[in-house]
Amino acid sequence: MKASKEGVSSKSIKDFCSTVPVRLSDRERILLNVLHNALEVSEYTDNVDIVSRRNKANRILQGILEVCAITLGLGLCGTGDSNRVGLNVEMNKAAKEEPSDNEALLQEIFEVGRRNKILNPSKMRSTYGKLMYLMQDAQASSVARGLGFSLYKDLVMVQPYLQDHGAGELLDDGLLPLAVCPVTTVDEKTGEKLSREEINTAVQQKRDAIDELVDKYASTTELSEENARRVIDSIADAYTVVASNVRPVVRMLELLEDNFVPNENEEKFSLQLSGKSRGGGGYGYGMGRFGFGGGGGGGSSSGATLTHDHTTQYWFVWQTLKLWEHIQKNMHSLWVAADDDLLSTSCSYSLWNTGQGLNRVQNCPKVARMMHNYLSYVQSAAGRPWVGLSVVHLGDRDVPNALVFIDKYTQVPRILQPIVDFIDGMQEFCSNPKIQVYVADNFTSQEKLRKKVLADYFKHGFDGSGDDGGSCIDGRLTSSWNWTSRIAKKSYHHAFLMSGFQGFDGDDWKE
């Protein structure tokens, strides 16, 4: 059996599932579409997050009620073919009533949107910010009194969902790791590719395990077969997402270790930095992807702001990638913590001009606690002195709130995966005779092209173009994002394009 069970045990699954969202049901997918359409036409944040003499509480109250009314109206129009999930009558009744009379339905709709974002971080990129900021305002006591109802509902997570249905024992079942672990195409011990027959066998074993678990718990608990399968698939999805996000980080670590030696400075491919200038700080890649104002601009630099010799830079990059790897392994927990911090009733926000527009600045105690724990763990595991600052910017001008924070770290795989694809696919795209000639004429060899790209990223992707001179935890990621914005000016850019490279953020993210 060649399913990957690394790190997958009954105990780890049980802990993991406390922050793993349950897949959306057919009914919930229809409600999600209704919410998405309502947020698309809403101008909530444009009307609320501005400097105005008008009473802000009234603007917030009117904006929330407007979104609720639009949602219920669109629900009536958009569920015409939804008889199979019983939404027609429910939405028809809700559209004729006041929003306050539909508290439970609205809570369900808004919870589905929040849960879907954790399940699919690449979705709702033009609407999620509006959703969270609207709910953040609705949580304020003064607004809540005016509304007369709440939009908040706890996220539906696998572990509590199973416990509510009398199926908590599923997480302790010894068959579950086989049912949820990803199937790999290579042997984990030897690294050799598996045959098609071996892969098919592993896939079939996984399917058999899922079928056995569904039959067992659908017959002995309150779970239906559909929901039992949905829960198991939710866990499997989460492990697959974690694996896909961690893989490029691990691969970049391997490329660093395989192509560079910390104590040997190869002149043409040195990682040495000489700081010359100080760049602007902050989350310079912009926040327009969330559909609200306050992004763009800053964070770029005219040159390196750090001064590191080759050895210091090597360990600076190595330690940063190790931290990113640990963060990616725990992104589900960070998503839930960010949701809790944003919708906290004890931490209010202030509207600041952070130098990149007006932004909501709010303390993030849960995210901060987790990040400091992760940082301490990586620092202890590094086995050598930490290079750079250990400052984690949260709730300040650099990272105003948990929404900005979580967006930053969802970018890590998007930055690293195209680099990994280029390096690992170099031999294949260079099999074209014309590209071979191009590489030979411009870079001498594939090996030198590979080293040139890697040296440039490990050097200038961590050159200090973030805040606090770029060596703080936040600034390291900002520096990497700034590097991606400059790739069109690199001598190897055409080689990237010839390999099929289209960008670091995709060209088709809009829904």
Side-chain angles (χ1 to χ4, degrees):
M1 200 282 293
K2 301 296 182 182
S4 172
K5 292 199 287 184
E6 182 181 356
V8 181
S9 66
S10 294
K11 183 179 185 301
S12 65
I13 288 177
K14 198 167 187 176
D15 296 337
F16 184 56
C17 287
S18 62
T19 55
V20 171
V22 176
R23 261 190 185 186
L24 302 189
S25 63
D26 289 343
R27 167 193 169 88
E28 289 170 338
R29 292 184 189 282
I30 295 170
L31 294 178
L32 174 66
N33 189 52
V34 169
L35 174 65
H36 176 74
N37 291 334
L39 292 171
E40 280 282 13
V41 300
S42 170
E43 297 180 347
Y44 180 79
T45 47
D46 294 335
N47 295 329
V48 170
D49 288 347
I50 57 174
V51 177
S52 172
R53 294 183 178 180
R54 288 179 56 205
N55 185 283
K56 183 171 182 178
N58 287 338
R59 282 185 282 130
I60 289 173
L61 193 60
Q62 291 171 7
I64 293 174
L65 290 173
E66 180 184 67
V67 172
C68 290
I70 293 172
T71 301
L72 295 175
L74 289 175
L76 174 62
C77 302
T79 57
D81 58 350
S82 308
N83 287 320
R84 59 193 175 89
V85 290
L87 272 176
N88 278 351
V89 174
E90 185 176 359
M91 296 305 296
N92 186 50
K93 178 176 179 293
K96 297 176 182 178
E97 299 174 337
E98 294 297 320
S100 57
D101 298 322
N102 294 282
E103 181 176 22
L105 177 59
L106 288 168
Q107 287 177 351
E108 181 183 7
I109 292 173
F110 282 81
E111 186 275 333
V112 164
R114 291 156 54 214
R115 177 158 39 111
N116 180 68
K117 183 62 178 180
I118 302 175
L119 288 164
N120 303 285
S122 63
K123 302 298 183 182
M124 297 181 69
R125 297 178 69 182
S126 63
T127 56
Y128 181 67
K130 279 187 274 190
L131 168 64
M132 295 306 293
Y133 281 0
L134 182 149
M135 290 202 62
Q136 185 181 52
D137 288 334
Q139 288 290 90
S141 58
S142 58
V143 177
R145 285 194 297 269
L147 280 176
F149 64 97
S150 172
L151 295 175
Y152 180 81
K153 176 184 176 183
D154 288 339
L155 292 166
V156 180
M157 298 295 173
V158 166
Q159 189 181 57
Y161 181 84
L162 287 173
Q163 291 170 346
D164 290 344
H165 290 79
E169 293 180 357
L170 171 61
L171 297 180
D172 296 314
D173 198 299
L175 198 58
L176 188 59
L178 175 58
V180 301
C181 63
V183 174
T184 63
T185 57
V186 297
D187 189 291
E188 293 179 357
K189 294 181 179 179
T190 65
E192 297 178 358
K193 288 188 177 181
L194 301 177
S195 67
R196 173 53 57 186
E197 183 180 353
E198 290 176 305
I199 295 173
N200 288 341
T201 299
V203 170
Q204 189 57 51
Q205 288 178 330
K206 182 172 181 175
R207 289 173 178 168
D208 291 342
I210 293 174
D211 290 340
E212 186 174 337
L213 288 170
V214 169
D215 291 342
K216 177 179 178 180
Y217 289 93
S219 61
T220 59
T221 69
E222 299 173 22
L223 284 176
S224 65
E225 286 191 12
E226 178 184 353
N227 287 337
R229 190 175 298 275
R230 188 157 62 98
V231 167
I232 295 170
D233 287 342
S234 300
I235 305 171
D237 288 348
Y239 273 110
T240 300
V241 167
V242 169
S244 67
N245 289 341
V246 169
R247 193 177 299 117
V249 187
V250 172
R251 180 61 180 137
M252 289 300 289
L253 268 169
E254 293 173 350
L255 291 170
L256 175 66
E257 294 169 346
D258 292 345
N259 291 274
F260 301 91
V261 179
N263 298 319
E264 294 181 12
N265 187 359
E266 192 175 353
E267 184 177 352
K268 290 186 178 180
F269 304 109
S270 172
L271 303 183
Q272 181 175 337
L273 283 171
S274 298
K276 296 180 181 179
S277 62
R278 166 75 186 217
Y283 44 102
Y285 51 87
M287 292 299 298
R289 60 176 51 83
F290 278 141
F292 56 86
S300 63
S301 166
S302 58
T305 61
L306 296 177
T307 299
H308 286 164
D309 59 27
H310 174 84
T311 301
T312 303
Q313 181 68 5
Y314 178 96
W315 289 115
F316 180 67
V317 175
W318 189 92
Q319 291 171 351
T320 302
L321 290 173
K322 276 292 183 183
L323 177 61
W324 289 357
E325 177 189 358
H326 196 64
I327 289 172
Q328 293 304 312
K329 288 180 178 178
N330 293 277
M331 278 300 288
H332 285 90
S333 297
L334 284 168
W335 269 106
V336 174
D339 185 271
D340 288 344
D341 281 341
L342 280 165
L343 304 183
S344 170
T345 56
S346 58
C347 294
S348 59
Y349 71 86
S350 300
L351 202 62
W352 290 6
N353 186 340
T354 62
Q356 294 158 341
L358 292 174
N359 283 273
R360 299 187 179 201
V361 179
Q362 179 191 35
N363 286 333
C364 318
K366 292 188 176 181
V367 171
R369 184 165 56 251
M370 293 178 70
M371 278 297 294
H372 283 106
N373 288 340
Y374 298 157
L375 180 59
S376 297
Y377 172 83
V378 173
Q379 287 175 327
S380 299
R384 61 182 303 109
W386 186 256
V387 180
L389 298 174
S390 300
V391 177
V392 179
H393 285 288
L394 283 167
D396 57 19
R397 293 182 182 274
D398 296 297
V399 183
N401 54 56
L403 182 62
V404 176
F405 166 84
I406 203 69
D407 180 64
K408 286 184 73 83
Y409 283 95
T410 58
Q411 308 307 315
V412 170
R414 295 177 184 155
I415 294 172
L416 300 184
Q417 190 62 59
I419 305 173
V420 170
D421 289 343
F422 176 77
I423 298 297
D424 289 346
M426 186 178 296
Q427 185 173 357
E428 181 179 350
F429 79 78
C430 284
S431 62
N432 183 309
K434 293 182 179 180
I435 296 180
Q436 281 183 9
V437 173
Y438 172 82
V439 170
D441 289 347
N442 290 274
F443 306 101
T444 307
S445 67
Q446 292 181 40
E447 176 63 22
K448 289 189 176 180
L449 172 59
R450 179 185 298 107
K451 291 287 288 283
K452 184 177 184 68
V453 171
L454 291 174
D456 188 62
Y457 174 67
F458 292 141
K459 184 176 180 179
H460 294 294
F462 300 84
D463 65 0
S465 53
D467 192 60
D468 285 336
S471 70
C472 64
I473 303 306
D474 167 68
R476 301 168 194 233
L477 184 49
T478 304
S479 296
S480 274
W481 191 265
N482 288 338
W483 177 87
T484 68
S485 69
R486 298 192 295 265
I487 194 170
K489 299 180 180 180
K490 306 293 184 180
S491 61
Y492 49 77
H493 181 236
H494 289 112
F496 259 74
L497 294 176
M498 285 186 280
S499 72
F501 169 76
Q502 294 183 341
F504 289 97
D505 206 26
D507 297 321
D508 57 347
W509 64 266
K510 288 191 177 180
E511 298 165 88

